[in-house]
Every structure is written in structure tokens, then in C-alpha cells.
Amino acid sequence: MPSFVAIVPARLASTRLPNKPLADLGGKPMVVRTAERALLSGASQVVVATDHADILAACREHGVQAVMTRPDHPSGTDRIAEVSVALGLADDAVVVNVQGDEPLIDPGLIASTAALVGDKVPMATAAHPIHDLQEVFNPNVVKVVLDKAGRAMYFSRATIPWHRDGFAASRDKLPAGYAPLRHIGLYAYRNDFLKAYPRLDISPLEQIEALEQLRVLWNGYPIAVHVTEAMPAPGVDTEEDLIRVRKFYS
């Protein structure tokens, strides 16, 4: 498997869970647990990218490499782009963005997504089939449709593809054989593309949908998608999520 570096962006500020990256999970902060999961993926290097000295100190206390970044980055992608430059990574290096609130992320999913990045495909992500009717119609669940090569055609909060005949007959159940793909927020990049990303023109589509990855498609770059049958463990966004993850680590 090609070598790759995992970078874990972690900001201390959180609207719903204050100090979320430092939340204790079985004796270690959440961001450290996430970095440990990334290490299990076979990454050649795992680095936490943070804007706060407390996170930096917590990582170093537990032997996790961490780098301070500017506090004003508009997105995690911009933050890891700064770190890739600081690390002096080669242009053809593969960099995976592992969100800092994913302490249960599957290491195999990280590796499989990273493996899709190459000379002709500068970015990759992941998805899984949706079998739950409520999630199909939930605008907080992002969907993706693929071409025959397994590359993203479009991401949307809407129900895509729309099963015209099936939903004309009934919207109380999923049509037979219909399983839209839910996008998983895991990204891998070729490093030269990652560094160029902050300079890409902002897409009106990403502003409408509030989906950053649409900037990539709108500017004409392909995104490969690894499809897994297993639904990944959810990240930590709420107090209920935190309780669930603490039970796992206890």
C-alpha cells in the first residue's frame, strides 16, 4: 500500500461541546484517541494540527506529534494545508484529513481512502449505502452519486439520485434495490493539490449546499470515492455522543 500521512485538525472552540478535543475518554483526550486510531491505519506519520496550546500540550504529554497553526483558518482543509507545508512533504505525498472528533474511526477506512489518490486523482473520500428511509430524506445526511469509474459526480443534502417511479408510488418505504450513498467526511489528497486548494475559486454550489467538497468538482478536479458496506461509527457532536464513546473506552 502506498505511504500516506494522516493529519488530525483539532480546534478547541465548539458551539455544542466546549473543549471537545480534550474530553476525557478512558484516561486520554479525544484528540489523542483519534490520533491513535489513525496510527493503526498504517500511516507513516500522524500529526495533530491545532490552534490552541492546551491541545498541543495534551498531545505531547501522550507522545502524539502536534503542530500549532494559525487560528483564522476557514476550514480544516486549510489548516492541514498549512501543516503539510510546515512538514516539508513532497508534492506527490498523500495526506489524509482525519477529523479530531472521530475517536472510533475505522483505521481500514483511512487506508482504503488514501489508496485511491494518484497522479490523475488528486483527492478521495468515502461513502456507504443508506438503508434507512429517514436518512434518505434528511438534509443533514449528505449524499453522493458516482460515475462508472467510482468518482463523485455530485454531493448534495437533497435525496440523490431521486427514484422517480419508486417515490411516485410511495414515500413510506425505500424502492426495491435503491440504496443511495451517504458521504463519509474523510478526505485524502495528493499534497500538491492540497496546497493549491485554498486558492481555488469558491463555488456558488458549495455556498448553496454548504458543502466544501463541491469547490473541487466545480473547479474540474475528480474525487475518487471508496464505498464501504459498513456504516462507520459516528463522530462526537453532542453530549449523548460523548457518553456513548466513553462507554466504548471504559
Side-chain angles (χ1 to χ4, degrees), residues 4-250:
F4 63 93
V5 174
I7 300 180
V8 182
R11 294 177 63 248
L12 194 65
S14 174
T15 55
R16 286 184 283 187
L17 279 178
N19 301 328
K20 180 168 67 169
L22 298 177
D24 182 80
L25 299 180
K28 293 182 181 180
M30 183 187 305
V31 65
V32 170
R33 292 294 190 186
T34 302
E36 289 175 342
R37 298 292 286 182
L39 278 168
L40 293 175
S41 70
S44 61
Q45 187 176 13
V46 176
V47 182
V48 172
T50 184
D51 64 349
H52 202 281
D54 288 354
I55 296 177
L56 185 75
C59 289
R60 289 178 175 174
E61 180 183 348
H62 292 278
V64 173
Q65 185 179 358
V67 175
M68 284 290 290
T69 64
R70 287 172 21 214
D72 58 345
H73 285 300
S75 72
T77 306
D78 296 281
R79 192 173 306 281
I80 69 169
E82 179 188 344
V83 174
S84 79
V85 173
L87 294 176
L89 299 180
D91 282 349
D92 62 353
V94 176
V95 179
V96 183
N97 180 349
V98 180
Q99 298 299 321
D101 57 2
E102 297 278 354
L104 299 181
I105 191 168
D106 177 11
L109 183 64
I110 298 172
S112 296
T113 303
L116 295 180
V117 176
D119 292 340
K120 296 182 179 179
V121 183
M123 181 173 171
T125 189
H128 71 87
I130 306 173
H131 301 291
D132 181 272
L133 184 68
Q134 290 185 332
E135 290 198 343
V136 168
F137 292 109
N138 184 350
N140 294 317
V141 174
V142 178
K143 295 86 179 176
V144 58
V145 291
L146 311 183
D147 65 14
K148 67 178 182 179
R151 297 176 183 178
M153 297 174 66
Y154 192 66
F155 297 86
S156 182
R157 298 181 182 280
T159 305
I160 58 171
W162 181 260
H163 200 301
R164 188 196 64 173
D165 294 341
F167 289 139
S170 173
R171 297 190 191 180
D172 295 328
K173 63 180 180 179
L174 292 179
Y178 172 73
L181 294 175
R182 176 179 187 161
H183 176 234
I184 300 168
L186 174 70
Y187 298 103
Y189 312 85
R190 185 180 154 106
N191 190 42
D192 53 0
F193 176 75
L194 173 62
K195 291 187 293 185
Y197 174 87
R199 299 190 298 273
L200 292 180
D201 291 336
I202 295 176
S203 161
L205 295 173
E206 74 174 287
Q207 294 177 312
I208 292 170
E209 295 258 22
L211 296 175
E212 180 186 344
Q213 63 270 33
L214 289 174
R215 183 185 312 182
V216 178
L217 297 182
W218 190 76
N219 280 279
Y221 294 94
I223 301 176
V225 181
H226 170 69
V227 178
T228 175
E229 289 301 316
M231 183 175 71
V236 177
D237 291 317
T238 66
E239 190 68 36
E240 291 74 19
D241 294 335
L242 186 57
I243 292 170
R244 170 180 47 80
V245 174
R246 279 176 169 157
K247 288 180 179 178
F248 174 86
Y249 277 103
S250 66

